[in-house]
Amino acid sequence: MQQSLGIHMSKDSGFVMDTQCPFCSVQCKMRITKELPVLGSSRPSYVIEGIANAASEGRLCVKGMNAHQHATSTERLLQPLVRKDGQLVSASWEEALSTISSRFQAIAKEYGPDSLGVYGGGSLTNESAYLLGKFARVALGTKYIDYNGRFCMSAAASAGNKTFGIDRGLTCRLSDIPLARCIILAGTNIAECQPTLMPYFTKAKENGAIIIVIDPRVTATAAIADIHLQLKPGTDAALVNGLLKVLLDEKLIDETFISRRTNGFAELKDHLSGIQLEEVADLTGLKVAAIQKAAMAYGRAETGIIFTARGVEQQTDGHVGVRNFLNLVLATGKVGKSGCGYGAVTGQGNGQGGREHGQKSDQLPGYRNIEDEQDRSYVAGVWGIDPTELPRKGVSAYEMMELVHQRVIRSLFVMGSNPIVSNPNANLVEKGLQNLDFLVVADMFLSETAKLADIVLPVTAYLENDGTLTNLEGRVLLRESTIASPGETRHDWSILCQIAEELGKKRYFSFQSAEQIFEELRLASRGGLADYYGITYDRLRREGGIYWPCTSTEEDGNQGMMFTDAFAHSDGKAIFMPVASRLPEEIPSEKYPLTMTNGRVLSHYLTGVQTRKSPSLAARNIENYIEIHPKTAQKLRVEDGEWVEVTSRRGSFNVRSRITDKIREDTVFVPMHWGGVQNVNKATSPELDPHCKMPGFKTSTVAITTLRLRK
């Protein structure tokens, strides 16, 4: 394993630098060599190679191989921009910061501090995420802060907290995957979203594992499956009821584990007695025999791991859907031992760490509860304020957009996110942002959201800033750089400190480095569920990565396996929960006959702001598209490759058709990386899961019309 990271400068601005990919939650380590331009060329070339690490084992995917291209793009914002006479024009930092301070203070004075909102991102470092939460609550005094990670793992996070008493992406380690004899991949397309992890699953198959994929599409991940359950979107919870019913009937449950380490099984057993497999099959669109085969494979396997991702979680019953998968884990006792466990496959680079330290509306650092008086008192003590000065909890990300639209929130500060593309019901979001009194965006590029801003602040890229990130298995990693920031770009955390100083709050934000912020984060997280106190930069440099929780600098940070002896509830036991089988909030109708689901493609990341600036990545998918089954296309008179309009109850967008038999006839699929007229979220449902406030991205009903026939 690579034990140290660094940069070695050569003459004439060439360099060799060790860093890590800024994209998905694997956080692969890499070495970038910048070579000087050859004779006749004006641009340098870059050599990218993976370096050994515990997660990806030195592998890189196409996004990682080309990540440097957006960081070196000529389209990078290099100066602050201020809107004058309707146009964004270059300005000094002094003007930009002074204007932000005066406008924030004027709006707060007239409408109260809660008229200010802060919207963060799941790709920010732990240090920036931590400081953004502190900035909202201490510098601005607002309760309204949330982030785009709400759309990533909130359903799995809330389910893990309720079931296990704690939320960490993986309860086991990636190295446990080859030891599992049955693996369930539910609503996750790892082959395209986290491709450097696929060799783990290949090794598991070589070792005799049965892989079960649950997905309405025949994805690249489904291609490796021994059993593919191609269910109707939105029926995952019902499917698991069928699987549990088979396990119970076939006596494939672990009664000893259930008795010793769980609560609530009697209620679940009573609930399952009323489940009929035929009804589950009808609801999910599957055959009874397929449900039985999958259940028997998982139940009979000595070891097994279940992974869920957005396909299960981005639904209005995503919380209970994940809880039912956790019921499956607990019923078979497949947790807390080698080759067993549960994992929520995080999409964003720091989706795990980003939510642990204060970006979520109801959380304080260390995964503390902002409504808990003891938690409030502890964090207030670290921050040097009175607990009464801490705002109470706000609302979720999309609910913030509704408050923007209603003009309850009149000014918004956006850092590391593009809400106009990532939120559901995008037309409402765009209209709300347009009507704000004052919008500030900190970004590397002029994103769709930044184009609406009153002030845009240029930030550094991953090659230029330091900080820690927490990957999908809960391993904290250190990313360092000594490359100079281009132009007048500044680090996220530095910008927050400078605005706070303008607001008269310098004493709370007098940080000179990311490491100084991390030292305060360690203290603020101490004793919380997500305890980082035992992690230091020096340890990360020596050890390469450390799992949380890590309560002491003497503690071994490389164990990783959770729940070997007890769960995190006060009695040490996990909790079962009966889950009803039901249809999604929206069901197909004569007017909107198809169910639309969305997701990612291999070459792009989130809303595409960074990956579309990479020529190599953009060339792979230059435009958005919609997957339609051949029989469905024939009924709609849609030809392959033609432009269509997709319409829902919220709005419509235009994309090119892609006819494929790798999707259900009643379902269509659209990637989520494009804005403008190709933005799938103009049509997605804003209905929220009542437990975690996750929008129902995966189950919107739509109609399709060809633009050719409309003419």
Side-chain angles (χ1 to χ4, degrees):
M1 180 186 223
Q2 187 80 14
Q3 293 298 309
S4 64
L5 301 176
I7 180 167
H8 316 288
M9 303 299 296
S10 61
K11 292 181 180 179
D12 302 318
S13 299
F15 63 74
V16 179
M17 174 186 180
D18 292 352
T19 183
Q20 66 195 53
C21 180
F23 295 134
C24 88
S25 58
V26 183
Q27 289 294 289
C28 304
K29 295 288 187 180
M30 64 176 71
R31 175 163 293 156
I32 301 178
T33 303
K34 178 184 177 183
E35 299 180 337
L36 300 179
V38 298
L39 187 64
S41 172
S42 61
R43 293 183 62 82
S45 60
Y46 295 84
V47 177
I48 316 298
E49 56 186 333
I51 56 178
N53 64 91
S56 67
E57 301 174 320
R59 296 180 289 272
L60 292 175
C61 81
V62 66
K63 284 200 290 290
M65 292 290 291
N66 293 286
H68 67 283
Q69 291 182 352
H70 80 259
T72 58
S73 170
T74 57
E75 296 184 56
R76 283 279 299 275
L77 297 176
L78 300 178
Q79 288 180 291
L81 302 177
V82 174
R83 189 171 298 278
K84 296 179 180 179
D85 299 322
Q87 301 295 318
L88 286 169
V89 297
S90 297
S92 67
W93 274 100
E94 291 74 18
E95 179 183 358
L97 294 173
S98 176
T99 303
I100 291 170
S101 174
S102 62
R103 292 298 304 277
F104 279 171
Q105 291 184 83
I107 292 169
K109 182 177 180 180
E110 184 170 358
Y111 301 105
D114 289 336
S115 63
L116 309 177
V118 175
Y119 195 103
S123 294
L124 299 178
T125 63
N126 288 319
E127 292 78 2
S128 290
Y130 167 81
L131 206 62
L132 192 64
K134 181 179 180 181
F135 174 82
R137 292 161 178 131
V138 177
L140 299 182
T142 181
K143 67 180 178 181
Y144 289 129
I145 176 172
D146 212 75
Y147 80 129
N148 63 14
R150 175 72 64 170
F151 308 143
C152 180
M153 283 183 65
S154 60
S158 59
N161 280 324
K162 293 292 186 182
T163 301
F164 300 138
I166 195 171
D167 153 43
R168 198 184 75 182
L170 267 67
T171 69
C172 53
R173 303 150 298 203
L174 290 171
S175 58
D176 283 293
I177 294 173
L179 307 178
R181 291 298 172 262
C182 184
I183 298 170
I184 295 178
L185 298 170
T188 178
N189 185 12
I190 288 175
E192 290 197 72
C193 300
Q194 292 85 18
T196 57
L197 298 185
M198 285 303 289
Y200 285 108
F201 298 95
T202 302
K203 290 177 186 176
K205 282 182 69 75
E206 291 171 353
N207 292 340
I210 296 173
I211 294 184
I212 302 168
V213 170
I214 302 170
D215 200 305
R217 302 169 63 221
V218 183
T219 63
T221 304
I224 73 166
D226 300 284
I227 302 170
H228 179 199
L229 300 177
Q230 198 171 356
L231 80 175
K232 295 178 183 178
T235 62
D236 302 86
L239 169 60
V240 182
N241 278 335
L243 299 175
L244 286 165
K245 174 72 171 178
V246 174
L247 293 179
L248 199 63
D249 290 348
E250 298 295 327
K251 296 180 173 53
L252 292 174
I253 61 172
D254 188 334
E255 294 185 353
T256 301
F257 179 90
I258 291 169
S259 174
R260 292 178 178 176
R261 300 197 56 189
T262 70
N263 291 315
F265 183 71
E267 291 82 356
L268 177 64
K269 184 177 181 180
D270 182 64
H271 167 67
L272 294 173
S273 67
I275 297 293
Q276 300 296 322
L277 283 183
E278 292 76 14
E279 292 178 1
V280 172
D282 182 64
L283 199 63
T284 59
L286 301 171
K287 295 184 181 300
V288 168
I291 298 171
Q292 291 173 323
K293 183 179 180 181
M296 298 287 278
Y298 181 72
R300 287 173 173 169
E302 182 180 354
T303 55
I305 304 175
I306 295 177
F307 294 91
T308 67
R310 308 303 82 73
V312 173
E313 298 156 21
Q314 286 183 333
Q315 300 180 29
T316 55
D317 68 346
H319 168 88
V320 296
V322 176
R323 290 205 70 174
N324 224 13
F325 278 105
L326 299 185
N327 285 339
L328 202 58
V329 171
L330 296 177
T332 55
K334 290 185 172 71
V335 65
K337 54 188 178 183
S338 295
C340 293
Y342 163 75
V345 186
T346 319
Q348 300 188 72
N350 199 28
Q352 176 77 56
R355 71 179 182 275
E356 293 166 0
H357 301 300
Q359 281 195 100
K360 281 182 74 175
S361 62
D362 58 348
Q363 287 177 197
L364 291 170
Y367 229 125
R368 287 183 160 87
N369 184 349
I370 199 167
E371 293 295 321
D372 182 276
E373 296 304 326
Q374 188 173 353
D375 286 349
R376 291 171 60 83
S377 179
Y378 179 82
V379 173
V382 173
W383 287 349
I385 63 174
D386 190 279
T388 59
E389 298 178 63
L390 267 180
R392 295 285 172 171
K393 71 176 180 179
V395 298
S396 69
Y398 177 71
E399 289 173 309
M400 280 183 62
M401 294 299 104
E402 291 182 319
L403 294 181
V404 166
H405 189 263
Q406 297 162 17
R407 293 184 59 76
V408 173
I409 295 176
R410 304 183 74 96
S411 177
L412 192 67
F413 181 82
V414 179
M415 177 168 273
S417 192
N418 189 18
I420 202 172
V421 178
S422 61
N423 273 262
N425 203 9
N427 289 329
L428 178 142
V429 175
E430 183 173 4
K431 185 176 180 181
L433 293 176
Q434 289 172 337
N435 291 331
L436 278 166
D437 292 353
F438 188 57
L439 173 62
V440 181
V441 174
D443 208 323
M444 285 185 287
F445 299 100
L446 205 60
S447 68
E448 289 85 352
T449 301
K451 289 177 182 178
L452 301 180
D454 296 286
I455 293 182
V456 183
L457 304 175
V459 301
T460 51
Y462 78 106
L463 293 181
E464 302 139 13
N465 62 36
D466 299 345
T468 60
L469 298 100
T470 306
N471 78 353
L472 80 166
E473 59 176 341
R475 191 191 295 267
V476 182
L477 304 167
L478 176 61
R479 184 184 72 201
E480 292 186 284
S481 172
T482 57
I483 292 180
S485 304
E488 297 179 27
T489 59
R490 296 183 180 181
H491 304 318
D492 293 320
W493 60 264
S494 177
I495 291 171
L496 295 174
C497 290
Q498 290 159 28
I499 298 175
E501 181 175 355
E502 290 283 336
L503 293 168
K505 301 296 178 95
K506 179 179 179 179
R507 64 187 181 279
Y508 304 111
F509 295 87
S510 57
F511 302 103
Q512 299 300 313
S513 68
E515 185 170 6
Q516 282 187 2
I517 300 169
F518 191 78
E519 285 300 301
E520 185 176 289
L521 182 157
R522 291 178 58 225
L523 185 60
S525 73
R526 189 177 191 180
L529 289 173
D531 192 331
Y532 280 36
Y533 183 71
I535 305 172
T536 66
Y537 270 38
D538 284 344
R539 284 194 69 183
L540 291 172
R541 291 181 183 111
R542 292 195 310 270
E543 300 176 35
I546 297 172
Y547 288 104
W548 74 263
C550 185
T551 61
S552 165
T553 54
E554 305 302 317
E555 183 178 327
D556 185 352
N558 291 291
Q559 294 303 306
M561 179 66 72
M562 302 188 78
F563 314 135
T564 54
D565 300 310
F567 294 96
H569 289 298
S570 58
D571 62 358
K573 295 186 176 183
I575 300 173
F576 283 102
M577 175 187 171
V579 174
S581 299
R582 67 174 183 86
L583 291 169
E585 289 288 328
E586 288 189 16
I587 58 175
S589 64
E590 184 177 350
K591 187 173 182 180
Y592 303 107
L594 299 167
T595 299
M596 180 180 71
T597 184
N598 65 11
R600 302 167 184 260
V601 297
L602 174 60
S603 60
H604 283 297
Y605 178 67
L606 299 184
T607 63
V609 172
Q610 296 171 53
T611 49
R612 286 201 302 274
K613 298 300 186 293
S614 163
S616 299
L617 296 176
R620 290 170 171 261
N621 291 97
I622 61 174
E623 61 190 12
N624 207 356
Y625 61 87
I626 183 169
E627 290 186 352
I628 310 173
H629 191 276
K631 291 183 179 179
T632 305
Q634 186 177 27
K635 291 177 186 177
L636 298 173
R637 299 170 62 190
V638 173
E639 298 175 2
D640 188 36
E642 73 170 317
W643 283 85
V644 299
E645 181 178 65
V646 184
T647 305
S648 76
R649 295 168 176 83
R650 274 73 51 186
S652 62
F653 62 95
N654 297 338
V655 286
R656 197 179 293 278
S657 64
R658 183 176 291 185
I659 311 303
T660 175
D661 61 0
K662 295 183 177 181
I663 194 165
R664 292 177 56 93
E665 290 181 43
D666 55 7
T667 304
V668 293
F669 168 81
V670 183
M672 46 77 74
H673 309 291
W674 280 266
V677 297
Q678 299 184 73
N679 184 358
V680 63
N681 282 327
K682 288 180 177 290
T684 48
S685 172
E687 296 294 326
L688 302 178
D689 184 307
H691 298 277
C692 62
K693 306 302 181 180
M694 171 74 83
F697 287 107
K698 302 300 186 190
T699 54
S700 303
T701 56
V702 298
I704 298 174
T705 307
T706 72
L707 298 185
R708 166 179 50 86
L709 293 178
R710 277 186 55 188
K711 295 178 181 178

